[in-house]
Amino acid sequence: MWLTNSSVGRKIVMSVTGLFLVLFVTFHALMNLVALFGFKYYEAICEFLGANWYALVGTLVLAAGFVIHICYAFWLTLQNRSARGDDRYAVSARPKGVSWASQNMLVLGLIVVCFMVLHLIQFWANMQLPEIAGKTAMKGVQALATAFGPQWWYITLPVYLLGFAALWFHISHGFWSAFQTLGTAGDKWIPRWKCAAMWWATIVFLLFAVEAVYFTLHFNGIINC
Amino acid sequence: MDNAISFKLKIWRQASPQEKGRFETYELRDIPTDTSFLEALDILNEQLIEKGEEPVAFDHDCREGICGMCSLYINGHPHGPATGATTCQLYVRRFRDGETITVEPWRSAAFPVIKDLMVNRNALDQIQQAGGYVSFNTGGAQDANAIPISKVDADEAMDSASCIGCGACVAACKNGSAMLFVAAKVSQFALLPQGKPEAKRRVKAMLAKMDELGFGNCTNTGACAAECPKNIKLSNISRLNREFVSAKCRD
């Protein structure tokens, strides 16, 4: 199977799952945005998804996307390290035009995974998981109030902002790199995809960051709207 | 002397592929700045021979930037700090008086060290042998203008064909990937009608050989294109991916 046996095939798997995850985080940020217009709308989305069959199928597909992307990341990195050889360069310099993010994708991905663990404990483990198990689940707004409220905000907010920052760097390279791997880039399109990657990463970062800060301020009673 | 500098050379010495290597530091005094870097190494070797020591082994041939034989990872850059130039086109004026210049061999599992700064780049030849050619029947060559080729494609193919196969892309890549080399060799034919009949077989065979020889996977950092002495463009890699995916999908 060329998607596992060949280097380009493996990169294709990385790019397709990566783009899928980019779409997911974008939808996620947009759905959170609803809360800024009124928590009752946010609750409506939580009710709509819950543990319905389509939400469960969606969760499984999403989990598969994450697992494949992460497994391939480790697999490719191990291969790349052994291809580099045992002797490392004593002096190495990052050439002009090579982004820092592009050389640290695994570390950036790991930071995002660390953030995700906390995020899943705070939300998924209180909302969809008990519902699947047939227990009483927390309401969406209630989970938000716990995570961003007086008791936890000083842990939640810094970890989330760090996770979003890592995600910005990760997408700023991953987005255009995916299109390059899929063979849809050329001399004209490489700068265009790079520009689109910057915009996309920045918009996603700003949406998430504004939402997290808003929730913190709201659930600590600093703003009341 | 006015236009001469003195500097230290921290050079990787390794007696054979099996033995462990180490850095040795040598001092060169009053080297005219118009000396090429390889000539500076020649001067060093003369001094070493006079002292009865083993000279430093390094690859070189044409010394005019077209053969792809010279290598050397100088101060963190393949072919040194100059861009769009090979090591033999690098001059001592690029460095400062009193500087310590670190010189290392290409480092990649697919390029084992033969001796000192010399590495075995035979892996690139093997990739070429796997499919980096076009087959012609015997007979007189066809008239050059009988097949119309657009100026854009002709220029692009020529740019790709300027790859000298030195391996700087592999040396620069943190993944030890030979994708830019393979991409250039695939592109020079993929863009021309003469290369089309064997295109599918070529891209599959060359990539399979590249993977088999232990080169890494491309992560599009772009270090290869940034360090390439012939300015081979990163877009070649996208073309290679496109050629490979379309060949695989038609299987």
Side-chain angles (χ1 to χ4, degrees), chain B residues 16 21 24 30 33 72 83 85 89-90 99 106 122 140 157 171 173 182 200 229 241:
Chain B
S16 72
E24 289 278 347
D30 302 325
T33 48
L72 306 185
T83 51
Q89 295 168 311
L90 177 70
E99 189 176 348
W106 283 176
N122 181 255
C173 178
V182 179
K200 275 186 268 174
N241 294 332

Side-chain angles (χ1 to χ4, degrees), chain A residues 11 80 84 90 177 183 187, chain B residues 104 107 217-218 220 235 242:
Chain A
K11 295 300 302 176
N80 292 345
R84 201 76 196 83
S177 177
D187 289 329
Chain B
E104 303 174 70
R107 296 218 187 273
N217 308 285
C218 174
N220 301 321
S235 54
R242 193 155 65 235

Side-chain angles (χ1 to χ4, degrees), chain A residues 10-25:
Chain A
R10 289 189 288 269
K11 295 300 302 176
I12 297 279
V13 173
M14 271 317 256
S15 57
V16 171
T17 53
L19 287 177
F20 169 66
L21 295 176
V22 166
L23 278 183
F24 161 70
V25 292

